[in-house]
Amino acid sequence: MRLSPSICLSLSVSIALSLVPAAPAQAPAHTLIRAGHLLDVHSGKLLDAQTIVVTGDKITSIAATASTPAAAGDNVIDLGQLTVMPGMIDVHTHITGNPDFDPYKELTATDAKGAIDGVVNARTTLLAGFTTIRNVGASGYIDVDLRDAINAGEVPGPHMLVSGPPLGITGGHCDENLLPVSYHQVSDGVADGISAVQQKVRQNIKYGADLIKICATGGVLSKGDDPQASQYTLEEMKAIVADAHRLGRKVAAHAHGAQGILWASEAGVDSIEHGSYINDEAIAVMKKNGTYLVPTLYLEDWMLEKGSLPPFYHQKMVDVSAVAKHNIQHAMESGVKIAMGTDAAVYPHGLNAHELDVYVNQLHMAPLAAIQSTTLNAADLLGWSDRIGSLEAGKWADIIAVEGNPIADVKLLQDVKWVMKSGVVYKGTGAK
């Protein structure tokens, strides 16, 4: 069969083009962050005149500025007067809530309002230098939707791992106890008995939860329960943890009382939140099991100074505040692993770094250990050590900068000057 001249011409052109060497792909542009100092959170050392090279959303390399020239097209950000470090992590927030505990306001709050508050609070938290948070409790799965909106670039905010509705017993800290029986009001996460709690774990995961939050004891900002009293039984908590871990989710347990702390750790939870009445027996079990403690202590200072609580909340806040710091300092000094959490929403979002000041200047934790609690330790608790927690090649470009050395004065972290998350600058030089 003879080919037509036009087909022959087309084939000849195609063959000729295929033999032409392809133009070399243009190297992607980088962002070069020229830092006056860089804090190594592993050692506490300050490295002078360092350049962090960022490509896309990740750190490509870190080297001395003198040996890191800029190429054509690179974006250079001069932070020569600042100290850079990893973005901070808060592992206990309620990003969709605000500190208003008037019972009428609580009862009239809607999920729609919570979603709006979450958008505002997420931005505030990010600009305060917290590039990752763990949200441990939100009704209606609104924290799931907020996480997804942030990931899609629709609103600014930190990376989020979220729990959805916290699990709790009927009448306990995670239930709704402000209304009379005629309303038959029950919170989203209430479940009693092994089969019921298993169903709730699976339901939360179905609707997008990254982790499971449970209430192992009573709480402070709830009516009719006792912070020292255990809520879930050991058997119920074991069932929760077994299902969650099998399905790839960690478990955080709200626990003030010593018995609830001990049972939750024995059940295999990954972290104890608050820990106000922790004792030596609970400390020993937590150390044996490698359970993290997430103190939330600045809220006590803020609440007693500026808070306005109904009497049935206020007295519990006074009682817990009288013992929590002493007990938690003892746990810290005994070697329990600490990850920083704040309970932000009990006090205004954006003040998260005040928690570190409490650790250092009231509980006498070493400044580097405090900073590690909001970087390396927090990343480990979240299971994200390969992504966040330190400035290293291959990790997300989550970077903040302050004036001075935060090891010398941890209060500097309350005034973050520059924030980058996933390679995008949100505050300071280069922000859009």
Side-chain angles (χ1 to χ4, degrees):
M1 183 179 73
R2 295 182 61 188
L3 297 177
S4 69
S6 61
I7 293 177
C8 289
L9 177 61
S10 297
L11 288 172
S12 298
V13 171
S14 298
I15 293 170
L17 289 174
S18 70
L19 296 175
V20 176
Q26 187 173 4
H30 305 293
T31 295
L32 275 59
I33 302 166
R34 306 291 198 193
H37 311 281
L38 184 149
L39 176 62
D40 179 348
V41 295
H42 291 281
S43 66
K45 294 180 179 178
L46 278 186
L47 306 175
D48 296 335
Q50 298 290 300
T51 290
I52 304 172
V53 179
V54 174
T55 307
D57 63 351
K58 291 186 173 62
I59 296 172
T60 305
S61 64
I62 303 174
T65 294
S67 62
T68 315
D74 285 348
N75 175 33
V76 178
I77 297 176
D78 183 4
L79 301 181
Q81 303 303 311
L82 300 178
T83 299
V84 302
M85 61 176 281
M88 291 183 283
I89 306 163
D90 186 339
V91 302
H92 189 119
T93 71
H94 298 280
I95 201 71
T96 59
N98 284 320
D100 190 339
F101 297 99
D102 175 83
Y104 178 77
K105 290 286 185 66
E106 290 190 79
L107 289 174
T108 57
T110 65
D111 287 348
K113 181 61 165 62
I116 294 168
D117 290 341
V119 169
V120 175
N121 296 335
R123 180 179 184 276
T124 298
T125 302
L126 177 61
L127 296 184
F130 286 82
T131 52
T132 302
I133 63 170
R134 186 178 66 163
N135 200 67
V136 285
S139 62
Y141 301 96
I142 53 178
D143 54 353
V144 172
D145 290 332
L146 178 60
R147 175 202 64 197
D148 294 348
I150 291 170
N151 289 346
E154 296 169 353
V155 296
H159 304 290
M160 290 177 58
L161 287 94
V162 304
S163 73
L167 276 61
I169 66 168
T170 298
H173 178 62
C174 292
D175 199 358
E176 175 53 77
N177 296 331
L178 295 176
L179 288 168
V181 63
S182 56
Y183 288 88
H184 302 288
Q185 182 65 33
V186 177
S187 290
D188 293 342
V190 170
D192 303 300
I194 290 175
S195 62
V197 298
Q198 288 176 319
Q199 191 274 334
K200 281 293 182 184
V201 168
R202 297 167 188 178
Q203 177 175 291
N204 277 12
I205 292 172
K206 172 182 178 179
Y207 292 117
D210 300 303
L211 68 139
I212 301 299
K213 161 75 177 297
I214 67 172
C215 290
T217 74
V220 175
L221 298 175
S222 49
K223 184 180 180 181
D225 61 325
D226 180 356
Q228 295 195 62
S230 301
Q231 293 194 161
Y232 276 128
T233 65
L234 176 59
E235 290 72 23
E236 286 171 320
M237 287 192 283
K238 283 182 176 180
I240 289 168
V241 172
D243 264 30
H245 284 180
R246 188 179 68 255
L247 296 171
R249 269 64 169 187
K250 294 193 174 189
V251 180
H254 160 106
H256 287 283
Q259 182 68 72
I261 294 169
L262 189 151
W263 280 355
S265 180
E266 285 185 343
V269 305
D270 300 280
S271 64
I272 298 294
E273 316 297 305
H274 313 302
S276 304
Y277 293 93
I278 193 169
N279 61 15
D280 285 334
E281 185 181 7
I283 286 170
V285 171
M286 289 183 67
K287 289 178 65 177
K288 175 175 68 73
N289 295 330
T291 313
Y292 269 97
L293 174 61
V294 179
T296 55
L297 296 173
Y298 175 66
L299 70 87
E300 297 172 6
D301 296 345
W302 188 91
M303 189 60 71
L304 294 176
E305 179 183 352
K306 300 179 181 179
S308 178
L309 293 174
F312 51 85
Y313 293 162
H314 177 76
Q315 189 57 53
K316 289 198 285 184
M317 180 65 71
V318 170
D319 294 343
V320 166
S321 299
V323 299
K325 288 177 183 174
H326 171 77
N327 292 336
I328 290 170
Q329 181 177 354
H330 177 54
M332 290 176 172
E333 292 172 348
S334 299
V336 173
K337 297 191 297 185
I338 304 295
M340 196 210 80
T342 64
D343 221 357
V346 175
Y347 63 87
H349 297 272
L351 303 181
N352 312 57
H354 286 69
E355 183 78 12
L356 299 172
D357 179 35
V358 175
Y359 295 175
V360 173
N361 293 313
Q362 295 186 41
L363 275 59
H364 310 297
M365 178 185 270
L368 177 58
I371 291 172
Q372 289 172 337
S373 77
T374 192
T375 54
L376 297 171
N377 292 8
D380 180 54
L381 172 57
L382 300 185
W384 277 10
S385 293
D386 59 335
R387 309 177 195 185
I388 58 175
S390 59
L391 300 181
E392 298 178 51
K395 292 191 177 183
W396 285 336
D398 293 351
I399 308 166
I400 63 173
V402 297
E403 292 180 343
N405 180 1
I407 297 290
D409 183 3
V410 76
K411 290 183 180 180
L412 294 174
L413 296 173
Q414 298 171 19
D415 185 19
V416 170
K417 304 296 186 183
W418 187 85
V419 177
M420 169 183 277
K421 176 204 156 196
S422 294
V424 177
V425 181
Y426 287 90
K427 181 179 183 179
T429 304
K432 297 180 180 177

